[in-house]
């Protein structure tokens, strides 16, 4: 079979960080449907157990871990445990992320650092943990969940934009450094997706009217709407599969057209 037409993930072990709900959950469930064995982590036991039950409802036996992506010894231990009990990680999705919406001049350095730590250093720590086995196998896929903020700025998200811009460059650097081992590292850049992270931006106003940011995003998106996490799954499968073996160091934006659009004329 032509490998570049192969979208199957049969026999692969995928670790999707922060896949207790939202984008990570949708991607992990899609990988399971394509044949992969799913491992995921999140930050609380309650979320882990609830997610394992949600995966089970879909007929997916997911291996869930409580592990903070910023804790390097804990990540190393999780990846070693996965290798022992499930198999070495073939596909890593660095999805775990947080955002703080605070005007920069009011933001503490500690808050800024925490966002960088989770959204950027976490991806470094998790990638570092899976790379040796991938190098040995001479095969591996790393997918970094980037953002519109890998390209654009906006009020209140200085830390998040710095982290996601950095993640774009970490993607290119992993490609540069490990492409020789047949490891592909690409970014997936979602537009505005309806998840808990963006719920405050869609919350109707006290008088029942639409949140102004909700209206703003629909006007700024040629598709004219928020996207659903499920809409990321086809591109995420592509980047995890053999079909993308010649694609490396790219950011695939799945944004309903936001980055192509100057915005609605008044
Ligand atoms: P979400 O619903 O808030 O989910 C975030 C996930 O990350 C949860 O599973 C959470 O686990 C986990 N997590 C957070 N901090 C962690 C840590 N330190 N260690 C381990 N796990 C951690 O967010 P989402 O909207 O699905 O976003 C997922 C990713 O896509 C993020 O990187 C986000 O920046 C990015 N993204 C989102 C959008 C969007 O519009 N929603 C667009 C572009 C990019 P717990 O629930 O247990 O804390
Ligand atoms: C915000 C949003 C965004 C999205 C996403 C866009 O406050 O602007 O939370 O940053 O979550 O990352 O791609």
């Amino acid at each position: 079979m032509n490998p570049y037409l192969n979208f199957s993930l049969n026999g692969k072990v995928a670790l999707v960080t922060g896949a207790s709900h939202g984008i990570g959950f949708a991607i992990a469930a899609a990988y399971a449907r394509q044949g992969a064995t799913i491992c995921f982590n999140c930050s609380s036991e309650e979320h882990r157990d609830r997610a394992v039950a949600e995966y089970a409802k879909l007929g997916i036996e997911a291996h869930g871990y409580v592990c903070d992506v910023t804790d390097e010894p804990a990540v190393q231990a999780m990846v070693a445990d996965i290798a022992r009990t499930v198999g070495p990680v073939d596909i890593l999705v660095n999805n775990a992320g947080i955002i703080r919406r605070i005007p920069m001049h009011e933001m503490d350095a500690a808050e800024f650092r925490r966002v960088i730590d989770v959204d950027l250093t976490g991806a470094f720590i998790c990638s570092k943990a899976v790379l040796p086995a991938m190098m040995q196998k001479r095969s591996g896929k790393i997918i970094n969940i980037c953002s519109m903020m890998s390209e654009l700025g906006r009020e209140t998200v200085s830390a998040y934009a710095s982290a996601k811009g950095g993640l774009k460059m970490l993607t290119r650097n992993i490609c540069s450094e490990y492409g020789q081992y047949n490891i592909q590292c690409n970014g997936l850049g979602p537009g505005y997706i309806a998840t808990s992270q963006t719920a405050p931006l869609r919350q109707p106003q006290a008088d029942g009217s639409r949140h102004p940011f909700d209206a703003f995003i629909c006007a700024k998106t040629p598709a004219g709407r928020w996207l659903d996490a499920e809409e990321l799954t086809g591109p995420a499968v592509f980047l995890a599969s053999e079909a993308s073996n010649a694609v490396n160091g790219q950011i695939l934006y799945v944004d309903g057209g936001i980055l192509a659009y100057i915005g609605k004329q008044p």
Side-chain angles (χ1 to χ4, degrees):
M1 186 196 175
N2 174 352
Y4 306 107
L5 286 174
N6 183 12
F7 297 89
S8 164
L9 303 179
N10 261 334
K12 301 291 184 189
V13 175
L15 168 59
V16 185
T17 69
S20 54
H21 49 82
I23 291 173
F25 185 93
I27 290 176
Y31 285 0
R33 269 179 237 128
Q34 293 302 107
T37 302
I38 300 308
C39 304
F40 75 95
N41 69 305
C42 59
S43 37
S44 83
E45 242 170 68
E46 187 197 335
H47 291 174
R48 190 232 5 232
D49 295 347
R50 200 167 51 211
V52 167
E54 290 299 317
Y55 284 112
K57 279 189 205 160
L58 301 175
I60 299 164
E61 192 200 329
H63 304 261
Y65 297 81
V66 177
C67 176
D68 185 329
V69 293
T70 67
D71 181 342
E72 185 167 17
V75 169
Q76 288 286 350
M78 172 178 70
V79 168
D81 191 15
I82 292 171
R84 217 173 26 250
T85 57
V86 187
V89 173
D90 300 293
I91 302 161
L92 168 69
V93 182
N94 284 311
N95 168 77
I98 58 170
I99 192 165
R100 297 281 177 267
R101 299 183 184 98
I102 305 170
M104 186 176 139
H105 65 281
E106 293 170 8
M107 191 172 203
D108 291 340
E111 288 169 317
F112 187 93
R113 284 196 192 100
R114 180 65 188 162
V115 175
I116 300 287
D117 223 20
V118 176
D119 295 5
L120 178 57
T121 316
F124 159 78
I125 288 173
C126 293
S127 303
K128 179 182 164 188
V130 301
L131 276 167
M134 290 181 174
M135 289 161 73
Q136 206 177 352
K137 266 195 167 179
R138 299 195 78 81
S139 162
K141 298 279 186 183
I142 297 178
I143 296 138
N144 292 328
I145 304 302
C146 295
S147 164
M148 293 296 91
M149 271 66 221
S150 299
E151 301 293 339
L152 302 170
R154 85 169 188 86
E155 300 81 355
T156 74
V157 297
S158 58
Y160 185 79
S162 304
K164 294 295 187 178
L167 191 56
K168 173 176 70 176
M169 286 314 300
L170 180 64
T171 302
R172 291 182 179 158
N173 213 80
I174 294 173
C175 154
S176 308
E177 206 166 343
Y178 298 101
Q180 59 183 313
Y181 296 97
N182 188 33
I183 293 167
Q184 290 84 44
C185 180
N186 290 290
L188 184 65
Y192 276 79
I193 316 292
T195 66
S196 58
Q197 189 195 84
T198 53
L201 305 175
R202 284 175 285 109
Q203 187 71 32
Q205 302 293 80
D207 63 1
S209 64
R210 201 170 169 196
H211 194 299
F213 198 88
D214 178 4
F216 161 69
I217 282 304
C218 292
K220 180 73 185 86
T221 310
R225 60 180 176 82
W226 289 73
L227 305 185
D228 190 81
E230 290 290 328
E231 293 178 88
L232 302 169
T233 55
V237 165
F238 167 65
L239 293 178
S241 72
E242 273 195 289
S244 63
N245 275 3
V247 180
N248 208 352
Q250 299 299 311
I251 313 296
L252 175 51
Y253 289 105
V254 183
D255 66 351
I258 293 177
L259 290 177
Y261 187 38
I262 194 169
K264 227 178 239 331
Q265 65 179 5

